[in-house]
Amino acid sequence: MIKNQWYGILDAKELKGSKPIGVTRMNEKLVLWRKADGSIGCIADKCCHRGAALHLGPVKNDEIYCPFHGFAYDVSGKVTLIPANGKAAPISDRYKVHAYKAVEQYGFIWVWTGDFKDEAPEVPFFKELREGFTYGGFGEVWDVHYTRAIENQLDVVHLPFVHTDSIGRGNRTVVNGPVVKWVDNLMTFYVDNHTDDGVSIAKKASELENYEDFFRLQLQMPNLWQNVIGDKIRIVAVFAPIDEEHTKIYVRFYQKFMMVPVLKQMVNWLSTPTNKHVFHQDRRVVNTQIPVKSEFTMGENLIPGDAPILEFRKRRALLKGEIVLKQK
Ligand code: FES
Ligand SMILES: [Fe+2]
């Protein structure tokens, strides 16, 4: 995982009221629960006493209690009660588990991969989608590391091969560019695919003019993506890392052209089968990729059309401190 990032890890609907939920995310078993004020607890789902899963225990007064011998934990992962020692007994600091700072925003649960005590920046959700849109969607697990799942949504070369009956119709196999731009950790890439006339070759990104008029997609590091279909329609995905070989993908259709209550739900609901069809076309192939995780240096033979994938790998390596950018 990249340190000091907000990762989307759950659809907020999966956390029902104050009932705790146990999930594996970021290679770790975690328990999440909602406090009375709506804030979120997210700590290791493994009691520091003798290893029982905390998510089976009750939540009382905003703390979670181990179902085995009743240790209580606060959201910072600290044990606040060891019943067998007596309520009045002091508790050493070593009785604690790993805790994440977690928030619920924009219908997702996000965790900060820095120190629990950090002053974290705001969750980097797409600004224009924070208000005014409604959405519907689904979540599903893919058998690859989240880097592979993200790269699939940065892949502008695969469309006419994987999505022949959907978004890749028209046999537009030649990939001009694509143009990739970064603003902080937000990547925007502009797509200009054509059918092959057998004579001209693909243009370099530097040869493309008026690229801002092209179709565009965005990746917000570390695991949030959107397809900007139009001002009023977007497809958004959060790629929640489960472990080295699994990712839970949350796909949402965002729209604001239909805001009439029942009709908007219908539009959002009707979008799901189409999106599922497209994502399943991807999943069929992506689940076969070897290795299941991508790296900055991994011996693949990339082509110019893979620029957004290469940029993602580079940015990831940079944020992980694996590479350093040379000063110009
Ligand atoms: S295993 Fe949790 S209190 Fe004993
Ligand atoms: Fe695809």
Side-chain angles (χ1 to χ4, degrees):
M1 255 11 73
I2 307 171
K3 279 248 169 227
N4 299 327
Q5 302 286 319
W6 281 110
Y7 274 83
I9 63 157
L10 273 188
D11 187 313
K13 281 205 221 82
E14 289 172 278
L15 196 53
K16 296 187 175 50
S18 63
K19 190 176 170 357
I21 180 177
V23 289
T24 301
R25 293 290 187 268
M26 304 178 295
N27 285 328
E28 204 175 351
K29 284 195 188 318
L30 301 171
V31 54
L32 292 102
W33 73 99
R34 238 188 227 107
K35 289 171 47 178
D37 66 359
S39 62
I40 307 289
C42 177
I43 66 176
D45 193 15
K46 185 184 158 199
C47 183
C48 70
H49 177 219
R50 286 179 54 230
L54 299 173
H55 76 268
L56 297 177
V59 171
K60 286 184 266 178
N61 297 326
D62 291 341
E63 299 194 332
I64 188 153
Y65 284 69
C66 181
F68 211 172
H69 316 99
F71 281 32
Y73 291 83
D74 67 14
V75 292
S76 75
K78 204 174 133 17
V79 175
T80 58
L81 172 69
I82 300 179
N85 293 355
K87 279 187 187 146
I91 297 172
S92 149
D93 284 347
R94 73 190 168 89
Y95 292 97
K96 63 168 189 296
V97 296
H98 182 208
Y100 285 99
K101 185 191 281 284
V103 296
E104 176 174 352
Q105 260 183 326
Y106 318 117
F108 290 110
I109 309 281
W110 311 80
V111 293
W112 174 249
T113 52
D115 200 276
F116 182 81
K117 294 187 216 82
D118 287 353
E119 267 298 321
E122 66 170 25
V123 171
F125 194 65
F126 301 114
K127 289 214 166 64
E128 67 278 20
L129 300 185
R130 292 180 185 187
E131 279 173 28
F133 279 80
T134 69
Y135 58 81
F138 62 96
E140 64 182 27
V141 174
W142 285 19
D143 300 334
V144 284
H145 188 257
Y146 81 103
T147 49
R148 285 296 201 191
I150 286 180
E151 288 181 358
N152 174 239
Q153 301 308 326
L154 308 179
D155 182 339
V156 299
V157 180
H158 79 291
L159 300 166
F161 304 97
V162 172
H163 305 295
T164 41
D165 68 348
S166 58
I167 54 172
R169 267 194 298 260
N171 203 31
R172 292 190 294 275
T173 50
V174 177
V175 177
N176 289 332
V179 176
V180 180
K181 299 284 174 194
W182 285 97
V183 176
D184 298 324
N185 285 325
L186 174 68
M187 181 212 290
T188 304
F189 56 105
Y190 300 87
V191 186
D192 183 36
N193 292 5
H194 288 272
T195 52
D196 197 339
D197 61 9
V199 181
S200 45
I201 61 170
K203 290 192 181 126
K204 293 191 184 121
S206 57
E207 294 167 346
L208 296 173
E209 287 165 10
N210 304 325
Y211 61 82
E212 284 181 345
D213 299 338
F214 300 168
F215 192 58
R216 71 179 195 278
L217 299 94
Q218 293 186 312
L219 174 74
Q220 170 63 53
M221 297 294 282
N223 71 336
L224 174 66
W225 169 94
Q226 74 163 327
N227 183 344
V228 184
I229 294 174
D231 284 347
K232 296 186 171 172
I233 308 179
R234 308 291 168 93
I235 296 176
V236 169
V238 161
F239 300 85
I242 295 176
D243 57 26
E244 292 296 296
E245 298 177 354
H246 300 94
T247 302
K248 179 125 183 202
I249 306 181
Y250 296 97
V251 181
R252 283 185 185 172
F253 173 78
Y254 276 76
Q255 64 87 14
K256 62 176 176 184
F257 62 85
M258 173 56 74
M259 299 303 270
V260 181
V262 176
L263 294 180
K264 81 179 178 195
Q265 272 130 20
M266 198 129 82
V267 168
N268 298 346
W269 179 72
L270 284 173
S271 68
T272 292
T274 312
N275 286 331
K276 264 197 184 158
H277 177 63
V278 171
F279 273 77
H280 289 173
Q281 289 179 321
D282 288 317
R283 184 179 63 180
R284 175 175 163 262
V285 182
V286 174
N287 274 356
T288 68
Q289 282 185 282
I290 298 170
V292 295
K293 177 180 184 178
S294 80
E295 304 285 351
F296 181 50
T297 313
M298 63 185 300
E300 290 188 342
N301 290 305
L302 301 188
I303 56 176
D306 294 323
I309 292 172
L310 182 61
E311 286 283 337
F312 166 63
R313 290 182 185 177
K314 212 189 285 177
R315 181 60 54 127
R316 218 170 154 262
L318 202 63
L319 292 172
K320 291 180 88 173
E322 292 167 357
I323 57 167
V324 183
L325 271 195
K326 284 202 195 105
Q327 298 284 349
K328 285 206 180 131

